[in-house]
């Protein structure tokens, strides 16, 4: 990543750390050391503090007095509400898409799924690659019905939802299952099976919350804000 693409060193540090937070290389609750960042980027404290201030303003980090700066934890309630909203919005988008789909767009979806199959076979395959391909496929029907702005708004929910999706893919051991679900969605799109498509989409988008129940409660408990136990996993 070259500094020439950035206005200043603070922006370089900010963008790098933000991406590492989104990719979970910097984990929820992890301390961010000013000294370590200064040394890593070869910069003074001023651009580092500028970067940390921006991360705090965007909600990606928080400073605890007398302790330091930490990556913010994930909010399970926020994530559940985002999934609820995405199901509602994407159901409407797909309903509209069934009315306007063209052979060319259908081929775009078919090609996207083929790329997903190919990438998981590559040596050194990283979950981030699949995350971006998954997002690219879903964006196809948003673009086809001229709802790109809605897709951008959903994708902008980075603080909790994007990081949760990344955790979903990092802990996933069966990417063929996801691709199979994508193929089911594709088949129902081709058949214009609106009712089946809506049910399949809902199951597809909620599955990760069900699959990860143990991960959230046990393995990655420290990644999440403490919440009331009552109704915690009600979807």
């Amino acid at each position: 990543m070259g500094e020439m693409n950035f206005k200043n060193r603070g922006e370089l540090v900010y963008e790098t750390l933000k991406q590492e937070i989104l990719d979970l290389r910097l984990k929820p609750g992890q301390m961010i050391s000013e000294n370590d960042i200064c040394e890593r980027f070869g910069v003074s404290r001023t651009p580092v503090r500028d970067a940390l201030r921006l991360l705090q303003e965007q909600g990606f980090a928080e400073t605890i007095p007398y302790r330091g700066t930490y990556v913010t934890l994930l909010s399970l309630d926020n994530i559940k509400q985002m999934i609820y909203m995405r199901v509602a919005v994407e159901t409407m988008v797909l309903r509209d898409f069934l009315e306007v789909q063209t052979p060319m767009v259908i081929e775009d979806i078919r090609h996207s799924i083929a790329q997903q199959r190919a990438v998981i076979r590559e040596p050194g395959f990283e979950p981030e690659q699949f995350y971006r391909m998954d997002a690219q496929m879903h964006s196809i029907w948003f673009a086809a019905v001229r709802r790109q702005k809605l897709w951008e708004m959903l994708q902008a929910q980075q603080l909790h939802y994007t990081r949760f999706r990344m955790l979903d893919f990092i802990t996933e051991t069966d990417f063929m299952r996801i691709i199979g679900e994508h193929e089911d969605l594709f088949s129902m799109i081709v058949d214009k099976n609106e009712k089946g498509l809506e049910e399949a989409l809902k199951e597809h988008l909620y599955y990760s919350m069900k699959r990860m129940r143990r991960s959230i409660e046990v393995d990655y408990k420290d990644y999440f804000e403490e919440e009331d136990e009552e109704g915690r996993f009600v979807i």
Side-chain angles (χ1 to χ4, degrees):
M1 192 180 293
E3 284 192 37
M4 66 183 68
N5 298 323
F6 297 90
K7 293 175 187 172
N8 55 55
R9 288 168 182 255
E11 186 180 339
L12 167 67
V13 175
Y14 164 74
E15 290 293 344
T16 304
L17 295 179
K18 179 181 173 183
Q19 194 57 54
E20 290 177 354
I21 290 169
L22 290 177
D23 289 344
L24 299 182
R25 281 174 284 180
L26 282 173
K27 299 169 177 54
Q30 183 174 335
M31 185 177 182
I32 305 174
S33 162
E34 270 190 31
N35 290 338
D36 289 350
I37 298 169
C38 290
E39 188 175 329
R40 176 182 167 192
F41 289 90
V43 296
S44 66
R45 288 188 179 274
T46 300
V48 170
R49 285 175 177 165
D50 288 344
L52 293 179
R53 179 179 48 78
L54 280 171
L55 288 171
Q56 288 176 68
E57 287 174 3
Q58 297 290 321
F60 290 98
E62 61 178 341
T63 296
I64 301 174
Y66 310 110
R67 285 185 58 194
T69 302
Y70 296 81
V71 179
T72 49
L73 296 173
L74 293 165
S75 164
L76 198 60
D77 182 63
N78 181 292
I79 292 160
K80 287 193 287 189
Q81 293 200 42
M82 273 305 307
I83 295 173
Y84 183 94
M85 183 170 78
R86 179 164 172 187
V87 169
V89 170
E90 198 157 350
T91 294
M92 289 296 294
V93 166
L94 278 170
R95 200 175 292 167
D96 292 344
F97 178 64
L98 292 183
E99 300 297 318
V100 301
Q101 65 188 47
T102 64
M104 188 174 292
V105 178
I106 291 295
E107 281 308 307
D108 286 344
I109 300 170
R110 193 195 311 273
H111 178 63
S112 178
I113 295 172
Q115 285 183 309
Q116 293 166 27
R117 281 184 168 277
V119 77
I120 67 171
R121 296 193 190 103
E122 289 180 3
F125 154 67
E126 294 288 344
E128 297 101 285
Q129 295 173 276
F130 194 90
Y131 173 85
R132 288 172 178 85
M133 284 189 172
D134 177 272
Q136 187 274 332
M137 185 199 73
H138 283 268
S139 75
I140 291 171
W141 39 82
F142 279 81
V145 295
R146 300 176 183 270
R147 292 290 182 270
Q148 295 100 317
K149 186 59 67 178
L150 268 178
W151 178 250
E152 289 166 13
M153 289 166 65
L154 287 171
Q155 292 298 290
Q157 304 304 311
Q158 299 175 313
L159 182 56
H160 300 286
Y161 186 58
T162 296
R163 290 194 292 163
F164 174 77
R165 295 290 288 144
M166 190 61 69
L167 183 62
D168 179 19
F169 287 127
I170 287 171
T171 59
E172 178 61 73
T173 56
D174 186 8
F175 284 93
M176 281 306 300
R177 177 195 58 78
I178 300 175
I179 293 171
E181 290 179 10
H182 288 167
E183 288 172 337
D184 288 343
L185 291 172
F186 177 68
S187 175
M188 291 175 199
I189 286 170
V190 171
D191 293 341
K192 297 192 174 182
N193 178 355
E194 183 177 311
K195 191 172 188 321
L197 183 58
E198 290 178 10
E199 284 301 313
L201 177 72
K202 185 175 181 180
E203 182 66 23
H204 178 60
L205 294 177
Y206 272 123
Y207 186 88
S208 57
M209 185 67 76
K210 296 173 184 174
R211 181 186 67 79
M212 290 180 65
R213 179 168 184 161
R214 177 178 166 78
S215 291
I216 293 168
E217 288 184 328
V218 181
D219 304 330
Y220 293 95
K221 184 179 180 182
D222 292 345
Y223 282 17
F224 291 85
E225 295 173 0
E226 286 193 24
E227 300 188 18
D228 293 337
E229 287 302 315
E230 187 178 346
R232 190 171 177 192
F233 283 93
V234 174
I235 297 173

